[in-house]
DNA sequence: TTTGTTATTGCAATCGTTTGCATTGGAATT
DNA sequence: AATTCCAATGCAAACGATTGCAATAACAAA
């Protein structure tokens, strides 16, 4: 009935809703249309062109849901950010967000889509099972172990295509990509001591294992050199952090001359507070950060810090995940951090 | 074969792959299982409990792909970040990433998932059609118009559930949420002038319309007060920006005493460069930023800036989108920016 | 003319849920 | 005892693309 289509213009009598409609227009079977649009080689060149032209003309695109159901794969990688310790941390956490940006690039490159989910484990017991078990994603990248190490371990036993950004523990079962935080902590402490510090402090939350490892690394060096080191716990959300830092600084005034901040963000806040108190950096107190975010080079004085290579991390996460999707049980990947010497230590 | 998995609990002879398997175990029909698991009220309480228990026991979750296909909705909102002007801008753009974080929160609250796609329009003509037309998302949020204003306009004519973060143009057809950039520009210029500046400069890329509007607003005020203002174009990627800022500052030395930076990130770099040159802020030169990112309060001296309420923006985007999903053709939402007076102007 | 070969295409089952409609059984009503 | 009525469930047709296998046509070889 729909005999006289308008050859030039977009709209015709009835819209083309699915592959079958298009098949009718093209005078072929749905199967052929499917093959043509999928770019398979089993279609005659002319038929293909005709079908493609028709599809373009009607702005038709095969329904992905149907395709995914039938093929039993989604082409989507889930990215989960568990917000365990500090719900508002990651909202503004430049590091995680930058990692996310790079992940998006890498995944796009490989033809995958990215589904982002921020989860609050405390409110949602089986966030990970839900994400995995519903057939909505082909694989999962978890950004940050938060306080969910054990849960992740459990899942890892029965689910291959998962890679986690975070800290590597001896003998753990899930595949992780991350910096060697302990080494980073060592580098930081060594630098502070080499710069003349004789009493150290670690400033920041020590709960998350990444940070705990940074502290442990620093402590190892400090202990070896018989130099005291203390932990000054703070929250990581911007609003609470500033006050806590101020308190700590009051408390340690004159007693500490080398501060290792858990994060560049913490270091920046610390620098500001020190300046406000008239404490000279690096003369009276040396400061070192972690991450090497863009701000690090913009502080006054420019921040000495331990760099994590975010782009390499993202690439590692994606590469390992793809290998796991192919069935390989990959090893973890630990990236070496580097000391970036600027002027605060 | 897989007989002895976990002896006490989880597994039995054959795995439960779908609703039909579960129905068989429960001694009911697939339809009933579907209704029970969906929480519909048409199921006897006892039957439901039994089914839920069974599902829990076998770790079964209904396949989302099938569900989405059948129900013709995905529960997924697409978030597209077009990278037009400067491919590497947004990777590190804290503002966009923070907005994304808030979007994720809002969408999660409303029960939607978030699919992130970073697109390079230059390499991918119909990025927007592809995203929309494949039935993969129920609606789309575009973060930043970039240089894609016209394409977005085209799409908006035939596709309701789309909301865009960006600048509002007189008479535009697509629904946009964003700050009143022109007003923000005015606030900035007024402040600089009130602080004593007599020759202004706008520092940053003026190509993207958001920034162009900021400049235009500032220019309007400057013109009205008969104060000169010039544009100093820079790229927004960190690596190129610094050098360009340095050049500009050399060029305008002594000729400009009020700098309006397109972005806090630009302002921070500018402050650092000024300090390096021994130019006193705000005495010799006044500086004002835009966004009020967390860093703004951490600079030395603390940065006076124009604040955009990111959380409100995210909420607006999601609210409008949901209304559009319900079929309402909503108006745009323009949020008023606020001057945050600190010490650089 | 017959047979073999190859390149295209059609056929129909399948992926796993959802949902309108029909059916059942039991309780309530007359 | 007969009739209504309702809650609970079963039945089977969608949703729209993919793909193994069979069928066809076209052409070459014998």
């Amino acid at each position: 009935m729909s005999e006289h289509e308008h050859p030039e213009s977009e709209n015709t009598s009835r819209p083309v809703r699915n592959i079958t409609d298009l098949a009718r227009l093209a005078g072929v079977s749905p199967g052929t249309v499917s093959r043509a649009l999928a770019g398979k080689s089993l279609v005659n060149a002319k038929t293909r062109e005709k079908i493609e032209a028709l599809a373009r003309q009607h702005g038709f695109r095969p329904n992905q849901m149907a395709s995914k159901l039938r093929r039993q794969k989604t082409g989507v990688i889930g990215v989960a950010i568990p917000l365990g310790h500090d719900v508002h941390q990651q909202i503004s956490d430049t590091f995680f967000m930058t990692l996310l940006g790079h992940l998006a690039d890498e995944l796009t490159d490989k033809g995958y889509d990215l589904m982002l989910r921020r989860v609050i484990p405390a409110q949602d017991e089986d966030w990970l099972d839900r994400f995995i078990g519903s057939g909505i994603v082909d694989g999962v990248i978890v950004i940050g172990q938060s306080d969910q190490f054990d849960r992740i371990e459990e899942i890892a036993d029965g689910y291959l295509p998962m890679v986690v950004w975070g800290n590597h523990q001896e003998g753990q079962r899930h595949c992780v990509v991350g910096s060697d935080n302990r080494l980073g902590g060592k580098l930081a402490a060594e630098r502070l001591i080499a710069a003349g510090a004789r009493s150290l402090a670690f400033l920041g939350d020590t709960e998350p294992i990444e940070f705990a490892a940074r502290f442990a690394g620093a402590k190892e060096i400090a202990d070896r050199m018989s130099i005291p080191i203390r932990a000054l716990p703070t929250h990581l959300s911007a609003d609470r952090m500033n006050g806590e830092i101020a308190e700590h600084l009051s408390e340690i005034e004159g007693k500490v001359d080398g501060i290792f901040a858990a994060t560049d963000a913490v270091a920046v806040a610390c620098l500001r507070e020190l300046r406000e108190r008239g404490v000279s950096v690096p003369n009276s107190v040396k400061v070192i950060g972690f991450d090497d975010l863009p701000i690090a080079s913009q502080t006054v004085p420019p921040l000495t810090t331990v760099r994590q290579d975010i782009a390499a991390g993202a690439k590692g996460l994606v590469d390992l995940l793809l290998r796991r999707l192919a069935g390989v049980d990959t090893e973890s990947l630990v990236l070496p951090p580097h000391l970036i010497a600027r002027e605060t230590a």
Side-chain angles (χ1 to χ4, degrees), chain A residues 13-29:
Chain A
S13 40
R14 68 192 61 224
V16 179
R17 304 214 151 290
N18 52 38
I19 227 173
T20 311
D21 291 350
L22 199 64
R24 198 175 308 121
L25 284 184
V28 297
S29 79

Side-chain angles (χ1 to χ4, degrees), chain A residues 81 89-90 93-101 143-144 165 210:
Chain A
I81 308 189
Q89 175 197 347
Q90 280 89 344
D93 190 307
T94 315
F95 179 80
F96 278 2
M97 286 298 164
T98 309
L99 182 56
L100 179 62
I143 303 191
W165 172 270
E210 294 97 320

Side-chain angles (χ1 to χ4, degrees), chain A residues 171-206:
Chain A
Q172 72 175 60
R173 273 131 42 214
H174 66 264
C175 177
V176 79
V177 174
S179 296
D180 187 335
N181 286 296
R182 179 170 259 270
L183 172 57
K186 288 192 200 172
L187 292 177
E190 279 167 359
R191 173 74 183 192
L192 286 172
I193 294 168
R198 287 300 168 261
S199 175
L200 305 185
F202 178 83
L203 185 62
D205 196 349
T206 50

Side-chain angles (χ1 to χ4, degrees), chain A residues 188-249:
Chain A
E190 279 167 359
R191 173 74 183 192
L192 286 172
I193 294 168
R198 287 300 168 261
S199 175
L200 305 185
F202 178 83
L203 185 62
D205 196 349
T206 50
E207 284 277 314
I209 47 180
E210 294 97 320
F211 297 166
R214 289 173 199 176
F215 178 50
K219 184 152 170 33
E220 183 185 330
I221 294 294
D223 287 353
R224 190 182 304 162
M225 315 276 275
S226 306
I227 281 187
I229 183 167
R230 68 187 82 189
L232 307 175
T234 72
H235 290 84
L236 290 170
S237 56
D239 41 338
R240 307 174 72 175
M241 187 173 64
N242 287 341
E244 293 169 339
I245 290 177
E247 275 179 43
H248 284 312
L249 291 185

Side-chain angles (χ1 to χ4, degrees), chain A residues 110-228:
Chain A
K110 311 286 189 185
Y112 281 93
D113 269 314
L114 187 163
M115 185 144 142
L116 177 62
R117 211 177 255 196
R118 314 177 78 231
V119 288
I120 302 179
Q123 293 172 14
D124 183 7
E125 276 285 302
D126 52 12
W127 55 279
L128 194 43
D129 313 68
R130 287 235 321 280
F131 209 10
I132 287 170
S134 49
I136 212 175
V137 293
D138 290 344
V140 175
I141 292 174
V142 179
I143 303 191
Q145 290 142 324
S146 185
D147 53 4
Q148 298 292 300
F149 192 93
D150 294 338
R151 184 169 305 275
I152 296 172
E153 282 283 276
E154 281 173 29
I155 297 291
D157 292 334
Y159 185 73
L160 196 60
M162 173 175 73
V163 184
V164 179
W165 172 270
N167 198 64
H168 182 75
Q169 303 274 71
E170 199 56 49
Q172 72 175 60
R173 273 131 42 214
H174 66 264
C175 177
V176 79
V177 174
S179 296
D180 187 335
N181 286 296
R182 179 170 259 270
L183 172 57
K186 288 192 200 172
L187 292 177
E190 279 167 359
R191 173 74 183 192
L192 286 172
I193 294 168
R198 287 300 168 261
S199 175
L200 305 185
F202 178 83
L203 185 62
D205 196 349
T206 50
E207 284 277 314
I209 47 180
E210 294 97 320
F211 297 166
R214 289 173 199 176
F215 178 50
K219 184 152 170 33
E220 183 185 330
I221 294 294
D223 287 353
R224 190 182 304 162
M225 315 276 275
S226 306
I227 281 187

Side-chain angles (χ1 to χ4, degrees), chain A residues 17-19 30 33-35 37-40 60-76 111 113 135-136 138:
Chain A
R17 304 214 151 290
N18 52 38
I19 227 173
V33 173
S34 172
R35 285 185 269 251
L37 261 30
K40 312 247 181 177
F60 170 78
R61 299 178 200 281
N63 182 302
Q64 293 297 332
M65 259 43 234
S67 168
K68 291 171 178 191
L69 172 59
R70 172 59 226 242
R71 306 179 43 206
Q72 294 293 81
K73 50 179 293 190
T74 66
V76 178
D113 269 314
I136 212 175
D138 290 344

